[in-house]
Every structure is written in C-alpha cells, then in structure tokens.
Amino acid sequence: MNLKQIAAVWLGMSALLPASAAWAATVDVSSHDIGGQVIGNNGPEAGVWAIAETKDLPTKYAKVVVTDDQGRFVIPDLPDANYKVWVRGYGLQDTVQQESRPGKVLDFKAVPAATAAAAAQLYPAMYWYSLLEIPGANEFPGTGDKGNKMPDTMKSQAQWVDTVKNMCQSCHSIGSRGIREIPKTFMENTDSHTAWALRTQAGQAQEYMAIVLGSMGPEKVYDLFSKWTDKIAEGALPFDKPDRPKGIERNVVFTMWDWASPTHYQHDAISTDKRNPTVNANGLIYGSPEESTDLIPTLDPVKHIASTITEPYLDPKTPSSEEAPRGPSAYWGDDAIWDGHTSIHNVMMDGAGKLWFTARLRPLANPDYCKEGSNLASAKVSPQATSMRQLSTYDPATGKWDLINTCFTSHHLYFAHDANETLWMSAGGPGLGGGIVGWLNTKQFRETKDGVASQGWTPLVIDTNGNGKRDAFVGAKDPVDPAKDKRIMASFYGIMPSPVDDSVWGQAMDRGFSRVDQPGYIVRVMPGSDPTNTALVEAYQPPEGTFGPRGLDIGLDGLVWTVLSSGHLASFDRTLCKGPLNGPTTADGKQCPEGWKVYRLPGPQFKGLDPKGSANHAYYVWVDRYNILGLGANVPIAETNGAESLTALVKGEFVNLRMPYPQGFFTKNVDGRIDDANAGWKGRGIWTTSGTRANFHSEGGKEAYPKVFKVQMRPDPLAH
C-alpha cells in the first residue's frame, strides 16, 4: 500500500471517529509538567490560555501558558502540589476545572461563550473604556460652570485625554468590571450621575481624586462617566474585539505568587540591579506599598514564601494615610484599609544587593539646612522649604536601615554609571518638584553616613543665550532674554541616567515652561562638573499629533523611550537632531521633531479621536537591555495596563503578552533578572507586581491579593 492509499484509509477511518479523536495530538510532559490539548466544536483551540493554580504551597501559586496551533499546551516546572487546571480563551466559556498533579496529561473540551456579551467579559479593559465619550476638540478651552463645565485651565482635548489616562487610569483600570459597573451601594435611591459623585469620594484616595476631578471639571466627569456606565448597563458592547495570542506570543509563561494582603496595594517591585541583572540571583523580590502600609512585602520565589519587613521613619508626627479624608467604600464600608506613613513609591537595588526606597520620613516642613540662609551649596542656589518624600536604604544582610532626610521630594530613583554611583531621583507630578532635580552621592554616603553633605539638587535651566554654559537666568513665566538663560519649573516623573554618557534624562507631565502647548515633554540634563551650578537642560516636546509622555527608559544603544497618552510608544534619538540644541529657538522644546519615532499601540481608539492614536495606555516603559526576556537586546516593553498586558516592540512589530488571570492585570513597572546564565530561558525572566490601588476591582474581589508575576519566553509553546 503506497502513502496515498494509507492517507485515504486514514481519512476514511477518521470520519467514523469522534471529532476529538480525529484532532488528537501527542503531548510530551516530564514529571514536573502538566500538559494537554484543548478541542472545541470546530477543532483544536489555538491561542487560548491554560491555567494551573494551587494553594498547597506557603503562598498561593499559579502558572499560565498558551496553546499552540494544535490546541496543545505544556505548563512547565511546577512545584510538587495538587493543582486545579482550566482553560480560558476569547470566544469561550471557562472550562471545568480539573484536579491534577505534575506529570499528568489532560484533555479539555472547549465550549463557546453563550452570548456576545458573555464573551466580551474577558476583553481587556481598554475595549470597554474606549466606549467613553470624549469631549470634542471644539469644546476647549473650558468655560466653567456656566459653560461646558470644564475649568479654563483645561486647554485642549489632548490635555483632557491625558488627564484621564495619566491621572485616573494610573491608579486603577478604568475599564475593569469593578469600574464599568457601578456598585449597588452607590445606586440606592439615586441616579448614576450622583453615584459617580459618591464613588469618587469613596475610600482613602478621596483627596487625590478631588484634585484630578477639579482639573477636569467634576460635573463634566460625572456626566460623561455616568453616560458610559449607563450605556454598558443597557447592554452596549465593545465595538472592537481582541485577537488571540499568535506567533511568539504563544511562547510566554506567566508564573505568579500572592503576597502582601488584600487591603494593601503595591506600586512597584524590584529583583536586581538594573545595571547588572545577575545581582541577587534567586533572591527575594521586594515591593513598594506606597500609601497603603509601612509593611514592605517580600517573596522568596524558590521556597514560595511571602513575608514583610517594616519601613521606619524619623518623626512620630509623620502623617498617616489612615488620617486621610474618606467616604464609605462599596467594598470596605467605613474601614480605613490603608495605614501607611512612609508612602514608599519606588524601590531600587544596588550592586551590593542593598535596597533604596523613596519614602516619607517626616512631616512636610524641611530642616533648616534646606532653606534660605543655609551653607549647603544647593540651598544657596535654590532653597527648599518643603519636601513630600525622602530616601531610605536597607541592608538585607544585616537588617539595618539608614534614613536620609533629603531637602527635595523623591519619587522614582535610578543609579548612574559614574564612579560615585550617583542616585538620581525624580519628584513626581506637576508642581511637586519645584523645578529641581535631586541626587545622592552614594559613594560619599557609604563612606561618611552624612546624608546632608552627600545630597544635592539643581534648578533646571535651558541655555537660551546659546553660549554653552549656565549663566543668570529668567524665570519660567518670563519671556526669553537673549542675554540670559531660562529656567523651567519641570517636575520629573520618569528619570533615567544614560548608560552611554553623563547625561540624565527626565520626563515631565506638566507645563514647566510657558511656551509648551501640550501636556508633557522629556528633558536631557547635562550635569557638568558642579551640577548645582553648572547643570543645563534641553527640553523636547513629542511630535505634532502625539502627546502625554509618561515614564522613561534608555537602552544600551542610547535610545530614549517613553509612552504617550495619545496611545503610542515613542523613541527619541538625539543624534538625529539637525538644528541647534541651544539658543533662544529651543525655549519651546520643538527643536528636534526628526529625533522622534512613534508607534501606535494596538487596540481601539475612542470614537471621534484621531485614528492614528489608540485608547490603549501604558503606565511606564522598561527597556530590556540584556535580552532577559528573549525578544532581543534593548527591546522596549510598555506596561500597557489598558490592554492588561506587557507590550514589547520587536523589530518594529508589537508582541502583546496578555495576562488573562486574574482579570484586571495592571502593572506599573518591570525589571529583569538572570538567575542562571547557563540555563537558557529557565534561568532568566522579568518581574513585576499588581500595580492597581484597588485589587478588589479585579477578578476575586475582596479576596484578591496583590501578586508577584514572573514572565518568561520559551523557544516554543511546548518547551519544558
């Protein structure tokens, strides 16, 4: 019998077999894996997620992988435990959970979602919040309570969208089910407009939300957001649909552990030194709990143990988030679930494995050495009356803390590559930094333990007279003087020392100098020999049609990356600039449009807005300098919380790594670690944590813990 005859016999026999048998394919697993195949009504289900979860370990643990084109999966390297395993995918109902242990092969029968509405419940948040009506461009600037209900400080549609994404969406996922559906508590005996007023006053973030709402016009927000949730309650569905993972997106492996507590959120996590990702191999992961608590969570990913350490502070009068004004929560009632004093925003690790935290150590008023009349060099140039957050460092080997009382506000922090291992710090959002950038000479501090002498800061000054050095300067609101330089009152949010030269790059979300006509820009700082007195800056606005940078990182190739609230990932290459980079024409930051390259983030766009942009949004961006994830060196990865994913740009194309469980994946930063350089993909991975302030808006509700996520890319979907 020849091959054609054999094939004909097989086809004839397969027609008599059950459909699942006809499509069956072999799956090889080791004693540490769980594998299987997913078959639907029309054949193998490719690009769906297989999930294994256990509570047998010291903390809850789960792993997620994606099926290949034959619907096969292998969940690799599972600790010995009892697991619940199930499958989730676009267009499907979640399958029945099966009990299993490593070494087993399971088959799953996939069933289509009962309705289009049921299927849409699995879509990432942006597909839902893209239904939000955005005020038309002709409605700006605002005309107040007697006009369009927006303040006159709201100048443009871009500014309004930027505020929604960079302020509202930065704390929680707007399109998640916990936001797009109004809790019944707020709807009792009232309408949805009033319910939105009540929910934005709920909990301990009331004061921050009030500030943001005030900038947008509260009544306008209540109008538009109540129409949005009413529309969804009446059955409106997203007008676009997500694609299933395809190509190398199917090679991803997500591993996750519970840590912290359901009432405490995390802003960030760290696993290693960004400059040397082999530091702290297989060691603890550390979090930064911001306003929620002074308990810093730790995770041992080898022993699967979650624990905490406590951040100290200098002054017993340091304010607590427990004292913040609050309204009743739909989830927690009148309970104050946050009790943090230290407001730990960001955490970094140095080359010796020590931790550095931006942390509040005392009340707002600065000590005298920061103020007018001080002999401190930086105070002579730019005295500081207050700072909102300072600096601390912790040695895991000894358990000892050093608390460093900075005069400037700290927010994010990154180490430079210089001999002093200078630690540069951003200051946060608009107005928080007073137009300065600060640093700590960590070499000097280690040798002297003198936190006062080791710190410094400088005003941000553009060389508008073009002579190549810093001279007397005019203020931010003053017109350009051809004989002087010009100060900008920028407050850096993102900050990153360059790995290729002595410059430090910052990203500002405010209008720090009078001629900027959009929300935000990036800034290059050249410190000079005496940064307090010699630092000069260059400012660069994103190109026309884009807006709203947030977050910043730099590859080993010197390319600067940021994410834009217009729905783009953007790079800036200063070496491409053609025009003069100093002098009076650079005061508006428009001197190098040719240095920018923008990439539209995948996903739908709000109706009526430029289709060249996207409703998708990323909180921050991280550059994989050392190919830790396996997608290439210097690959930028956007924390696209609108898409509930990590989105990498590889050779000009996006690789979207959606995390489907628990729904509401929302992260703010990433770092990468190499535990074993000789172990291939298994010896490396990138780490992140749940970044939302409201885990209870996500799948699991009040029982949901923040999680640590490890993300790896294997060579194919069945590698083990």
Side-chain angles (χ1 to χ4, degrees), residues 489-506:
M489 296 300 289
S491 297
F492 289 171
Y493 182 78
I495 192 165
M496 183 57 62
S498 171
V500 299
D501 59 27
D502 293 332
S503 65
V504 178
W505 288 78

Side-chain angles (χ1 to χ4, degrees), residues 97 242 369 446 598:
Q97 294 184 347
Y369 60 77
R446 285 194 300 268
V598 298

Side-chain angles (χ1 to χ4, degrees), residues 58-102:
T59 193
K60 189 176 177 182
Y61 172 97
K63 231 168 196 178
V64 180
V65 299
V66 186
T67 59
D68 71 357
D69 57 0
Q70 297 182 63
R72 298 175 299 174
F73 66 89
V74 171
I75 308 174
D77 298 326
L78 292 166
D80 188 36
N82 295 298
Y83 290 87
K84 291 183 177 180
V85 186
W86 73 99
V87 172
R88 169 174 286 182
Y90 295 138
L92 303 177
Q93 301 178 29
D94 281 4
T95 65
V96 174
Q97 294 184 347
Q98 297 189 42
E99 302 283 344
S100 186
R101 293 186 66 85

